[in-house]
Amino acid sequence: MKRVAVLGSTGSIGTRTLEVARHLGDRIRVVALAGGNNVALLSDQIDELRPQLYHTLRPEAVRAGGAKLTSLEDIARHEDVDTVVVATSGNAGLRPTIAALRSGKTVLLANKEVLVMAGALVMEAARDSGALMIPVDSEHSALWQCLRGEKNGIGRLLLTASGGPFYRYAADRLADVTPGEALAHPVWSMGKKITIDSATLMNKGLEVIEAHWLFGVPFDNIDVLVHPDCIVHSLVEFVDGSVKAQLGPPDMALPIQYALSYPDRVPGLVTPLSWGGALTLTFEPVDAGRFPCLRLAEKAGRAGLTYPAVLCGADAAAVELFLQGAIRFTDIAALVEQAMEAHQPEVDPGLDQILDADEWARRFVMDRQRIAESASAVTPEDKQEVR
Amino acid sequence: MKRVAVLGSTGSIGTRTLEVARHLGDRIRVVALAGGNNVALLSDQIDELRPQLYHTLRPEAVRAGGAKLTSLEDIARHEDVDTVVVATSGNAGLRPTIAALRSGKTVLLANKEVLVMAGALVMEAARDSGALMIPVDSEHSALWQCLRGEKNGIGRLLLTASGGPFYRYAADRLADVTPGEALAHPVWSMGKKITIDSATLMNKGLEVIEAHWLFGVPFDNIDVLVHPDCIVHSLVEFVDGSVKAQLGPPDMALPIQYALSYPDRVPGLVTPLSWGGALTLTFEPVDAGRFPCLRLAEKAGRAGLTYPAVLCGADAAAVELFLQGAIRFTDIAALVEQAMEAHQPEVDPGLDQILDADEWARRFVMDRQRIAESASAVTPEDKQEVR
């Protein structure tokens, strides 16, 4: 039996993790839950699962039963926890992930920004303690599964991308897409931030950086393939020319269950792919021209230092502005690029510097937007230029 | 450095194995070569590679240099050999494979009939000595690669099939196809026997039986998918719904090199797949109605005993007759079925009984054909019926 802490239990991945935990029955004991602001759902989860520990941003509003309130980091290193599911969002997962790894806990990582922002620190923590980190993203789970049992010889990682809802749109049409259109992902059902990131391909860019850290593969050897079918979740090409791929229905329950039951495989919650009819899978190299976020992410990943944190912070702020209707879809990339250009990086940054850079980038985007708005209020004809 | 014996060095897989061995350089030392009747090529190979040991059916015609003539089985268990490539054809590989496994040698198996005819004995020999057996068939190499590092949880094996040159032909057109048409495989370049077996789907049937023995998977959990692109070499579906696939260019050098360099992967002899353009992969469930050999093979595999040996022997004889122009393409399946129906199986057969059953089936098919020919010489109008 694994004693599991679910950080971010009220989010999209967190709730699906609990469904998988119910399906796995006696193999899993949920000993800690941590939610953010959705106190009603967190209270229900505590009622049902009776964890020892919990965390929330609004303790006064949570029905905790006999559970003990504590911090994310205390949960992550608690002696009664052996597996920590990091399903938080944004920068919230950084400190608990490092705390869990340093304490030798197995980390199931679903919070992209952790590796993107602090890959060097996180991998060092895992190396030092020998702790296992299993990715929960469908793409990285696919790569992890393909690399299972392999000794050496990775040639290239091929990350698949659905392309999002606008992949076939001409560049000029992208400026006018609405938040509602961008939130309608053709295949995956996910949270709002990641759905917009999928539409800009920023999500794929973050995944490239994650893959670089997780598997120790240089950026030159990581490629993105557009695969609108969303059946092949990623591929590994080995130096001998052999390629391994992982396929499955596009449902996060699959990589979550794989990570929770690892190294075993047990009958799944998800209806498997059907092979009873004709199946066609298509792949094409990504055309990043219309989707500059992908190249911005690769640039930040290669630059390292605090650049990836700036990428994440600026993107988070810009996506928020887009969802509010304050900026256009194409402004997201423009604002991220401006933040990266304006950034003065820290050399050999620690966690504090990384979190500061993230915060700086969020403020930079918000300030830039306020300036643009004032400018547009005075001289509307200048608006394009400021952007 | 691996000290390798290549049994069947002058055949299609044997010559490709030597090309891969040259490519692998110092990793491989060829210490023994065995050819059948192609004495000119075998002499050249001995000149070049200077093995210690050799075997041939026509020693008087071979230029052996200082190499010592001996039997296939003696080569297979020789103390200076640690890896035996079994690239013989038909029943020739059975005794040397079992001898090699009993001596704890690593066997790279490219001779399908070995596992089809004597799966129980072969797997027992491997189990008893703990010897490693690595499949060289592209499909089984794919499955082996997908299962590498996996602990448990195989749900289903999905063997891919090109479908051969006649897969879209209507049933009545199949009776009239010629040996020349059948030998023109759309993708793979192989020996004559296996090319005809690909066209009848007997080859895929033999592979189903092989997969059953190699991976210990029940016949109910082995399916065949038609995949004319010949890029995905096979897939494994796990009980959790996750599927792993192995892809690569359709070139036997890939699985041969994988087996020779295992557990390492080293830069390949083969140009890898290109991901620089659009790629479409299609799959469909096999329609075995027009290709009864597939179901006959599955039936023989499920029946066990000496039935698979009868399947192999009858098929070998019938393919020979087809290549001589003596019978129609559709008669191959009919003759195999008649042999299986007429066979009185041995219970708990040893190697001798298995080889006897193979021999019996070859004679059965030849006799049946002679009867049909005499009948047709007397009363041509009866010919259809006898068939």
Side-chain angles (χ1 to χ4, degrees), chain A residues 145 148-152 239-240 242-247 254 264-266 268 276 278-283 285, chain B residues 145 148-152 237 239-240 242-247 254 264-266 268 276 278-283 285:
Chain A
Q145 290 181 56
R148 190 169 168 175
E150 297 285 343
K151 241 185 85 183
N152 53 23
V239 290
D240 59 3
S242 182
V243 174
K244 275 159 79 174
Q246 189 266 344
L247 298 74
L254 202 62
D264 293 322
R265 290 186 182 266
V266 296
L279 180 67
T280 300
L281 304 175
T282 64
F283 305 87
Chain B
Q145 290 180 57
R148 191 169 167 173
E150 296 285 344
K151 242 184 83 183
N152 53 22
E237 183 175 274
V239 289
D240 59 2
S242 182
V243 174
K244 275 159 79 173
Q246 188 266 345
L247 296 76
L254 202 63
D264 293 324
R265 291 187 182 267
V266 298
L279 179 67
T280 299
L281 303 175
T282 64
F283 304 86

Side-chain angles (χ1 to χ4, degrees), chain A residues 248-316:
Chain A
D251 187 321
M252 288 306 295
L254 202 62
I256 292 169
Q257 179 178 314
Y258 178 77
L260 278 176
S261 69
Y262 180 86
D264 293 322
R265 290 186 182 266
V266 296
L269 183 61
V270 176
T271 308
L273 293 175
S274 165
W275 299 95
L279 180 67
T280 300
L281 304 175
T282 64
F283 305 87
E284 60 186 285
V286 69
D287 170 13
R290 284 161 301 136
F291 298 93
C293 286
L294 178 59
R295 293 291 168 248
L296 287 171
E298 290 179 357
K299 200 173 160 184
R302 286 174 195 267
L305 308 175
T306 37
Y307 280 110
V310 168
L311 179 88
C312 289
D315 179 58

Side-chain angles (χ1 to χ4, degrees), chain A residues 113-339:
Chain A
E113 286 82 354
V114 170
L115 275 173
V116 172
M117 291 170 63
L121 299 177
V122 170
M123 295 313 289
E124 191 189 350
R127 230 175 0 251
D128 288 351
S129 70
L132 183 65
M133 186 162 50
I134 307 180
V136 170
D137 244 359
S138 62
E139 292 80 358
H140 303 87
S141 176
L143 296 170
W144 170 277
Q145 290 181 56
C146 291
L147 288 167
R148 190 169 168 175
E150 297 285 343
K151 241 185 85 183
N152 53 23
I154 301 178
R156 227 169 6 147
L157 305 180
L158 297 158
L159 285 162
T160 53
S162 71
F166 310 132
Y167 190 69
R168 305 286 170 206
Y169 280 30
D172 56 354
R173 220 180 131 193
L174 284 175
D176 299 321
V177 302
T178 65
E181 289 169 323
L183 287 172
H185 193 279
V187 179
W188 288 97
S189 159
M190 306 176 288
K192 281 186 181 183
K193 163 71 164 51
I194 185 175
T195 303
I196 303 301
D197 281 347
S198 291
T200 61
L201 296 198
M202 177 61 89
N203 186 53
K204 207 51 55 179
L206 300 181
E207 289 174 4
V208 168
I209 304 176
E210 257 192 303
H212 163 76
W213 286 111
L214 259 177
F215 304 110
V217 172
F219 286 99
D220 281 349
N221 296 6
I222 307 177
D223 288 327
V224 174
L225 295 177
V226 172
H227 170 57
D229 316 291
C230 296
I231 298 289
V232 175
H233 298 307
S234 280
L235 312 91
V236 177
E237 182 175 274
F238 296 91
V239 290
D240 59 3
S242 182
V243 174
K244 275 159 79 174
Q246 189 266 344
L247 298 74
D251 187 321
M252 288 306 295
L254 202 62
I256 292 169
Q257 179 178 314
Y258 178 77
L260 278 176
S261 69
Y262 180 86
D264 293 322
R265 290 186 182 266
V266 296
L269 183 61
V270 176
T271 308
L273 293 175
S274 165
W275 299 95
L279 180 67
T280 300
L281 304 175
T282 64
F283 305 87
E284 60 186 285
V286 69
D287 170 13
R290 284 161 301 136
F291 298 93
C293 286
L294 178 59
R295 293 291 168 248
L296 287 171
E298 290 179 357
K299 200 173 160 184
R302 286 174 195 267
L305 308 175
T306 37
Y307 280 110
V310 168
L311 179 88
C312 289
D315 179 58
V319 168
E320 190 54 42
L321 289 170
F322 172 68
L323 286 172
Q324 293 165 6
I327 63 170
R328 294 184 190 182
F329 184 74
T330 44
D331 293 334
I332 297 172
L335 285 165
V336 172
E337 187 166 22
Q338 287 167 27

